[in-house]
Amino acid sequence: MTIGESVSGHVAAGFSFLSARPRNPARRQWKENDMIRLALLSGVVAVTLTLQAAPMPAFAEEPHFFRDIRPNHWVWNGADPLTTQSILARVAEAGAGAEHPDLTGAGGATVWTDEFARVGDQIRALAEEQEALGLTGAAAALYMRASANYTLAKYPLIDPSPAEAAAFEASLETLHRAHELRGFDVEPVSVTFQNGEADGHVLLPRRDAPAGGWPLVIASNGIDVNQGEFFAFAEDVASRGIAFLMYDIAGTGTNAEFPLGPDYEELPVALAATLAATDRFDADRIAIMGVSFGGNAAVKLAHTRPDLFAASVNVCGPLHSAFQVPEDQLDSVGLMYRLALYDRTGIDGGTDPARFLAHMRGFSLIDQGVIVPGETVTEVPILSVNARNDYVAPAFDMELANNSTVDGTLIYSGTDDQCPQDRFAVMPQVADWLEQRLSLNKN
């Protein structure tokens, strides 16, 4: 089945391309690095257009890279593939002979973090120059690219060093600046949660709020991808007149103080309930969205809180299968993901695998009794998107979600990977679907 083809229902295909930037009239003000700067600016367009038309090869096949190498995800977020390849090569060389070369470094930071943060700093400086010249379009594109590199520098944010924490903060700062230069308002959101304070940030549309308030999408990624990593997708949604709130799931990022447990969906419930109680947002038009681990909560809430959420988007979310790993196969789970889960849950599966696996089985929507296959049906529409043969969220999980609603749509993009591979094509379809389901005129 090709990209954009749905198993049930129909979603209109949509593509967005970067348009060519205007020539800089103040070019003579640049000094000795002018040619380098021009190449970097024009590369935003050339590389993006090329990559939307051609499949991306893997950047690295080395079995000893600790981090999961996800080129399609990073390119979609704005990272330059040639720069990334070059950094990966230097990281591997610096760590030659080490078990995990990308963890080798000096001065308290890893080679990985140093290299990507340096690129982020360089692009951020270019963005600031363009902004000072009044070229806000070019500046916004560069701030977005800087954010993508800072995002890589902190990835996957497990027990972060000061350098990784700084990269995470810089990734959000530059992303928010990019949004603001494109005319969107970015506002912090915080709520009282479990004797603490949970937070996120909301991107507001560029037009006046409609009568009754903005429709709203509340969205999260997974255990290794943070709130800022919706990038241009957030702008696509907001451009359709829908506010877009991004938050980190429990145990992760700015919400790391709250351990990741089977009831972690209560965090987005707290965010949704708080915003719904204001007159700025339409309490009858709120959608929940989750990517990867976040998809589990999105499907669960479609069943448990139909009073709060009018639609649900599940992008490659594990619902049952991944939580059935037997103890003697725990080591088959990638080391990065194991350590991330140990960190997010607060349970060291390396020393107590039985306790850790019992905790993880609690996330199964079947074991929780949220979905009884063939019986449980919700009125809340659910869109599920994934690659075929996903080893974390297989077809069983996708069909489990799709068959548990009276209005289900299932889209496959790519194969043999975790999460849809062609984000450039698929995510505009997700935005289309959200616009349709949250429309005032929806049937």
Side-chain angles (χ1 to χ4, degrees):
M1 193 168 291
T2 59
I3 295 170
E5 191 175 356
S6 60
V7 172
S8 174
H10 173 74
V11 177
F15 298 87
S16 60
F17 294 87
L18 292 177
S19 57
R21 60 177 178 81
R23 185 172 298 177
N24 178 8
R27 182 181 174 193
R28 63 174 60 92
Q29 298 179 17
W30 296 3
K31 298 181 180 178
E32 56 196 66
N33 291 326
D34 59 342
M35 294 303 295
I36 295 175
R37 298 172 199 227
L38 281 170
L40 186 56
L41 285 168
S42 62
V44 174
V45 175
V47 171
T48 302
L49 292 177
T50 299
L51 290 171
Q52 291 188 69
M56 278 299 302
F59 283 154
E61 300 296 339
E62 293 86 346
H64 297 305
F65 270 89
F66 170 71
R67 292 164 176 84
D68 188 2
I69 308 302
R70 305 301 300 277
N72 292 323
H73 176 76
W74 294 343
V75 169
W76 177 66
N77 284 344
D80 172 50
L82 299 181
T83 301
T84 303
Q85 276 186 308
S86 177
I87 290 176
L88 290 177
R90 290 197 295 276
V91 165
E93 182 179 357
E99 181 180 3
H100 303 296
D102 55 331
L103 294 181
T104 304
T110 66
V111 174
W112 176 287
T113 300
D114 283 343
E115 290 280 354
F116 282 111
R118 185 178 300 113
V119 174
D121 289 342
Q122 292 169 345
I123 298 176
R124 184 178 194 169
L126 286 174
E128 290 169 347
E129 289 183 359
Q130 294 294 289
E131 185 177 3
L133 292 170
L135 301 176
T136 56
L142 287 167
Y143 278 123
M144 192 78 79
R145 288 191 62 195
S147 181
N149 282 278
Y150 288 130
T151 291
L152 279 164
K154 60 82 184 167
Y155 181 76
L157 206 68
I158 301 173
D159 190 20
S161 67
E164 290 168 326
F168 180 37
E169 182 177 357
S171 74
L172 294 178
E173 289 174 353
T174 49
L175 177 65
H176 293 173
R177 190 59 189 146
H179 290 325
E180 289 164 354
L181 287 176
R182 288 172 175 160
F184 299 98
D185 288 332
V186 182
E187 295 184 2
V189 175
S190 63
V191 297
T192 300
F193 182 70
Q194 293 182 359
N195 299 318
E197 188 174 271
D199 67 16
H201 67 276
V202 63
L203 193 68
L204 297 175
R206 290 180 289 203
R207 63 192 77 166
D208 293 335
W214 298 112
L216 173 68
V217 175
I218 295 182
S220 74
N221 285 295
I223 61 169
D224 62 317
V225 178
N226 295 106
Q227 61 183 269
E229 294 175 63
F230 285 100
F231 287 87
F233 174 73
E235 293 186 352
D236 189 1
V237 174
S239 294
R240 298 161 188 260
I242 302 170
F244 193 81
L245 186 144
M246 295 152 272
Y247 72 97
D248 291 323
I249 65 171
T252 303
T254 63
N255 293 320
E257 65 182 286
F258 310 108
L260 178 63
D263 62 350
Y264 78 115
E265 81 282 355
E266 290 304 317
L267 196 159
V269 166
L271 289 166
T274 297
L275 295 184
T278 73
D279 59 5
R280 301 180 69 200
F281 303 97
D282 188 338
D284 294 325
R285 294 191 292 160
I286 300 178
I288 183 72
M289 176 178 177
V291 180
S292 193
F293 211 106
N296 179 283
V299 174
K300 182 176 182 180
L301 290 170
H303 288 270
T304 61
R305 294 303 305 269
D307 59 312
L308 188 56
F309 297 105
S312 170
V313 177
N314 163 39
V315 182
C316 58
L319 307 183
H320 173 73
S321 305
F323 306 122
Q324 308 305 311
V325 176
E327 187 171 335
D328 61 359
Q329 294 181 25
L330 178 57
D331 288 347
S332 67
V333 178
L335 177 61
M336 187 197 83
Y337 292 107
R338 272 183 282 148
L339 295 184
L341 285 168
Y342 299 165
D343 176 75
R344 299 351 181 192
T345 61
I347 302 174
D348 185 354
T351 59
D352 194 349
R355 178 175 172 232
F356 170 73
L357 289 171
H359 182 80
M360 295 309 299
R361 281 192 289 275
F363 288 93
S364 164
L365 299 190
I366 292 178
D367 292 349
Q368 289 184 40
V370 172
I371 299 178
V372 177
E375 297 182 17
T376 308
V377 178
T378 178
E379 297 288 327
V380 176
I382 299 176
L383 169 63
S384 295
V385 182
N386 205 358
R388 288 193 179 278
N389 301 322
D390 185 322
Y391 44 85
V392 176
F396 176 86
D397 290 46
M398 295 297 100
E399 292 165 5
L400 183 69
N402 196 53
N403 295 331
S404 71
T405 171
V406 297
D407 182 2
T409 303
L410 174 56
I411 299 174
Y412 285 109
S413 168
T415 187
D416 301 321
D417 199 357
Q418 212 268 307
C419 294
Q421 294 171 19
D422 192 348
R423 303 293 180 90
F424 291 102
V426 172
M427 297 312 288
Q429 296 186 63
V430 175
D432 286 343
W433 187 92
L434 285 166
E435 183 178 26
Q436 293 163 6
R437 294 308 188 278
L438 297 181
S439 169
L440 281 172
N441 299 317
K442 66 181 183 295
N443 294 324

